[in-house]
Each structure stands twice: as C-alpha cells, then as structure tokens.
Amino acid sequence: ESDSSKLASELFRVAGVDEVLLGARHVTVTKKDHMDWNDLSEDVEEVISKFFDSKLKPVENPDERIEASSEDSEAVREIKKILEQRVAPWVQQDGGDVAFARWDEEEGIVWLELQGSCAGCPKSTITLQALIRGMLSHHVPAVKEVRDIADDDS
C-alpha cells in the first residue's frame, strides 16, 4: 500500500507484486521470488494501462524526491543536486533509483539507498564506487567513498 501513489497502491493489489518503484519516466515492478512473471505480467500491464488511461498522476507530490534543506551543508546540497540531476536519471534507465541517506563529513562517505533493480544487484558495487563516487568526488572533492546504506552495520 502506498499513500503517495495511487498507481503503486493498485499495483500492490496484484498477487505476487513485491516492490514498485516509480521513476520520472518508468515504472519498475518486482515480483515475489516464488512467482513467475507469466502469472502476473498481464495483470500488471492491465493496471498500468488503465491507470494512465484515467489521466491520474502516478505520484501525488513528484517534487518530493531528493530535496535540499536549508539545514544541509554546502557539500550535502551539492551532493543532492548531483544525485538528482545526473545520477538518478542514469540509474533509472536500468529500472533502478538512488536516494541520499546521509553524509559522513569526517570520513568523506556518502551513504545512499539503492532502489528498484539496483538494490541487491551484483554490479551495484561497481556502480557505486566507479561511477557514482567518481562523479560525486569530481564535483565535491571531500567525497572519498560512496556506500550502500543496506551495508551499514551501525
């Protein structure tokens, strides 16, 4: 069930749907492990088609993504800006997304939440370290490392 998206709420009513990720230009639906796509793909496609035929908005507040706060440091504002403008559109092409979790200024570590197809992907380490870290550290030299919040033991 989703409070901010009628589309996500409808998709969760389809038996076997485990996760729904709504991007700016895509919808990623993840099935439960025990389900077969052949058993639910038709229902998922029907929900999506009917939803868009109704002209409703997929997300009630689409601007609530990675927002900078007045309480954020300059580094955090720049990190969030790069994530929103450069990183998110890139990972969304593969059905994933990325959300800012926190910034450890002392260690130079950006903690991110990988979502959709990026969550648990074997290549996510490469995505985080080689690509996202490279882009962030280029624009914010204080960034030394990027980590997945799912790997945080604290």
Side-chain angles (χ1 to χ4, degrees), residues 30-47:
T30 306
K31 68 173 184 62
K32 295 186 182 204
D33 289 339
H34 67 277
M35 295 296 293
D36 186 291
W37 271 115
N38 294 327
D39 296 334
L40 66 135
S41 62
E42 193 173 305
D43 292 336
V44 168
E45 289 171 11
E46 183 178 348
V47 167

Side-chain angles (χ1 to χ4, degrees), residues 19 97-102 109-116 118-121 124-125 128-129 146-154:
E19 295 178 348
D97 210 346
V98 60
F100 176 82
R102 70 176 185 270
I109 301 171
V110 177
W111 290 90
L112 302 176
E113 178 186 359
L114 299 178
Q115 303 169 336
C118 290
C121 172
S124 64
T125 301
L128 282 173
Q129 294 309 318
V146 178
R147 294 186 186 167
D148 185 351
I149 197 74
D151 298 334
D152 185 12
D153 294 331
S154 60

Side-chain angles (χ1 to χ4, degrees), residues 11-129:
L11 286 167
F12 281 124
R13 292 183 184 174
V14 174
V17 169
D18 190 38
E19 295 178 348
V20 175
L21 175 68
L22 301 172
R25 293 182 181 88
H26 74 278
V27 177
T28 301
V29 178
T30 306
K31 68 173 184 62
K32 295 186 182 204
D33 289 339
H34 67 277
M35 295 296 293
D36 186 291
W37 271 115
N38 294 327
D39 296 334
L40 66 135
S41 62
E42 193 173 305
D43 292 336
V44 168
E45 289 171 11
E46 183 178 348
V47 167
I48 292 171
S49 293
K50 284 182 177 179
F51 184 84
F52 285 108
D53 286 346
S54 72
K55 307 288 188 221
L56 293 172
K57 292 181 181 179
V59 179
E60 294 299 319
N61 297 310
D63 296 331
E64 287 185 2
R65 276 213 17 99
I66 305 172
E67 289 188 19
S69 163
S70 60
E71 298 174 13
D72 289 342
S73 68
E74 182 62 35
V76 169
R77 283 195 297 276
E78 187 65 19
I79 289 166
K80 288 180 177 181
K81 179 178 143 189
I82 293 163
L83 289 173
E84 182 68 25
Q85 293 177 356
R86 296 175 182 242
V87 175
W90 175 68
V91 296
Q92 288 169 353
Q93 291 178 28
D94 289 326
D97 210 346
V98 60
F100 176 82
R102 70 176 185 270
W103 163 240
D104 181 337
E105 188 171 7
E106 206 172 281
E107 298 290 327
I109 301 171
V110 177
W111 290 90
L112 302 176
E113 178 186 359
L114 299 178
Q115 303 169 336
S117 64
C118 290
C121 172
K123 295 182 180 179
S124 64
T125 301
I126 295 168
T127 301
L128 282 173
Q129 294 309 318

